[in-house]
Every structure is written in C-alpha cells, then in structure tokens.
Amino acid sequence: EAGVTQFPSHSVIEKGQTVTLRCDPISGHDNLYWYRRVMGKEIKFLLHFVKESKQDESGMPNNRFLAERTGGTYSTLKVQPAELEDSGVYFCASSQLGGLAGLPYEQYFGPGTRLTVT
Amino acid sequence: DAKTTQPPSMDCAEGRAANLPCNHSTISGNEYVYWYRQIHSQGPQYIIHGLKNNETNEMASLIITEDRKSSTLILPHATLRDTAVYYCIVRVARDDKIIFGKGTRLHILP
C-alpha cells in the first residue's frame, strides 16, 4: 500500500512568488493534516481536514496560506505571496477517523516538501 | 505547548537497549501517550502508543508508570538506523493534531 506522498520534494522560489504544495494521503484516510518545521524550530501544526472540511485551522500563520481538499482526496497548500520566513519543510500526514471509543489513530507522514524562499 | 518533558539528547551503544524517558505529569485521564521519531530528512514515523498498560510491538516497548505521569520508550536492540529525534506526545481521545516538542536526539554509537 502506498504511503503519503508529497510533491514537489523541493521548491526554491523568490520572495513574492506563489507556490503550491500537494499531498496525497493514504487511500481511505479521511483525516489529513499539514505541519511545518521552520529552521531550528519544532514541528508545528498548521491545519486538519476531515474529508473535504477544515476541522481545525488554528495553526495557519496568516492569510497568505490557503489549503484546500476538494473531493476529500488530495490536498493542496498554496502560499501567496511567499515570504522569506515561509522557508522550511512542510509535512503532510493522514490517518483514519477514530472509532467509537475515540482512539486517535496514528498519523502517517509524508517525506515533506522543502521550501526555500530567496 | 507540548505537555511532555524529555531530555534533549542521549547516547546508546549499538546492540544495547535504548531507554528514552518522558515526563507527562499533567496528563489527563483521556489522553494517550504516543511516540514518534524523525530520522534525518524524513517525515515523522509512528512508533507506539498506550493509555495505561505497557505495550509492545515489533519496533519498541512502552512502559507507563502506574500514576501515568511518566513513561519510557525502550528500543530493545538499538542499531545505527535508530539514530533519530524521538518525540513523546500526549493526545486526547479523538482525531487530534500532534503537538511536537523538542524531543530527544538519540545517538547510536557503533
């Protein structure tokens, strides 16, 4: 079974440009999460989709970031316009929906997209 | 903020058991203890989780104290490939985001 995939693996753009990151979750996983790690900092949560709906977007840094998950399958994260402080590694993760007992299933992470804004 | 405290780094000889401690003194009754690790340049990887009882899988064992205020992740026979940052995380019993702390950087020494 294929894992979580992310595209591109690396992206180098200039300040002010737009970049779109893509995440394909594991088939059948309704939960999809975006995280990022900026240089020297901890991995931080950005947002959480349940199917096509945004469940929690409390970690989105500002309105330059737009995440979508049309049809509840793959997701995109667009940064427009990109700033220098947006550089970092962006991770996507997916998991099954919790069962009746509410047990949070483990999240499976993709390899990340390394974004460099110059 | 992360609700766990871990040592910033640890060393372990190859072939020996690596014991990684974690304090989570404010854990509440519906929170699980999860462990993930991040090997350099890869995405975080799930290792194991538990609520009250000790757990074991093919990767590791998780020992949770009776009062649930601390736990230990045990890698029984560490190899060089286990060199990574290990994160101890507490999560509520729903499909919640992961709040990563600084983790423990484990160095496996040949």
Side-chain angles (χ1 to χ4, degrees), chain A residues 31 33 35 37 42-43 45 48 56 58 91 95-98 101-111 114, chain B residues 1-2 32 34 36 38 41-46 49 85 87 91-102:
Chain A
N31 284 317
Y33 306 81
Y35 297 84
R37 181 204 289 275
E42 297 154 25
I43 300 171
F45 165 81
H48 169 203
D56 180 357
S58 61
F91 294 105
S95 72
Q96 297 174 280
L97 278 177
L103 174 69
Y105 283 110
E106 59 269 24
Q107 294 181 18
Y108 294 87
F109 283 76
R114 181 173 297 277
Chain B
D1 290 346
Y32 291 76
Y34 276 72
Y36 283 76
Q38 186 180 19
S41 297
Q42 298 181 21
Q45 177 190 23
Y46 165 80
H49 74 274
V85 179
Y87 298 97
R91 296 173 69 196
V92 297
R94 53 186 169 87
D95 302 307
D96 209 3
K97 61 193 174 192
I98 294 175
I99 298 176
F100 289 91
K102 292 181 170 54

Side-chain angles (χ1 to χ4, degrees), chain B residues 63-106:
Chain B
I63 308 298
I64 302 174
T65 58
E66 192 169 343
D67 63 8
R68 302 211 320 128
K69 292 185 177 182
S70 65
S71 60
T72 301
L73 178 74
I74 301 172
L75 306 178
H77 304 287
T79 70
L80 295 177
R81 288 175 294 181
D82 293 320
T83 294
V85 179
Y86 287 77
Y87 298 97
C88 171
I89 294 148
V90 295
R91 296 173 69 196
V92 297
R94 53 186 169 87
D95 302 307
D96 209 3
K97 61 193 174 192
I98 294 175
I99 298 176
F100 289 91
K102 292 181 170 54
T104 295
R105 185 172 295 278
L106 177 65

Side-chain angles (χ1 to χ4, degrees), chain A residues 8-115:
Chain A
S9 57
H10 293 84
S11 180
V12 180
I13 61 172
E14 293 182 353
K15 177 182 172 181
Q17 290 186 322
T18 297
V19 63
T20 300
L21 315 180
R22 173 171 170 143
C23 168
D24 286 80
I26 292 172
S27 178
H29 281 191
D30 289 329
N31 284 317
L32 188 149
Y33 306 81
W34 284 97
Y35 297 84
R36 75 171 179 178
R37 181 204 289 275
V38 296
M39 182 68 71
K41 298 291 183 66
E42 297 154 25
I43 300 171
K44 293 291 188 184
F45 165 81
L46 295 178
L47 89 159
H48 169 203
F49 284 100
V50 177
K51 299 183 182 179
E52 67 276 6
S53 299
K54 292 176 184 175
Q55 182 76 12
D56 180 357
E57 50 186 330
S58 61
M60 294 289 265
N62 51 61
N63 59 10
R64 295 185 294 103
F65 289 75
L66 175 64
E68 295 180 323
R69 192 182 182 195
T70 307
T73 54
Y74 71 91
S75 174
T76 58
L77 180 64
K78 180 189 288 187
V79 185
Q80 179 182 29
E83 297 290 345
L84 298 178
E85 63 265 25
D86 300 332
S87 295
V89 182
Y90 290 75
F91 294 105
C92 174
S94 71
S95 72
Q96 297 174 280
L97 278 177
L100 290 176
L103 174 69
Y105 283 110
E106 59 269 24
Q107 294 181 18
Y108 294 87
F109 283 76
T113 293
R114 181 173 297 277
L115 174 65

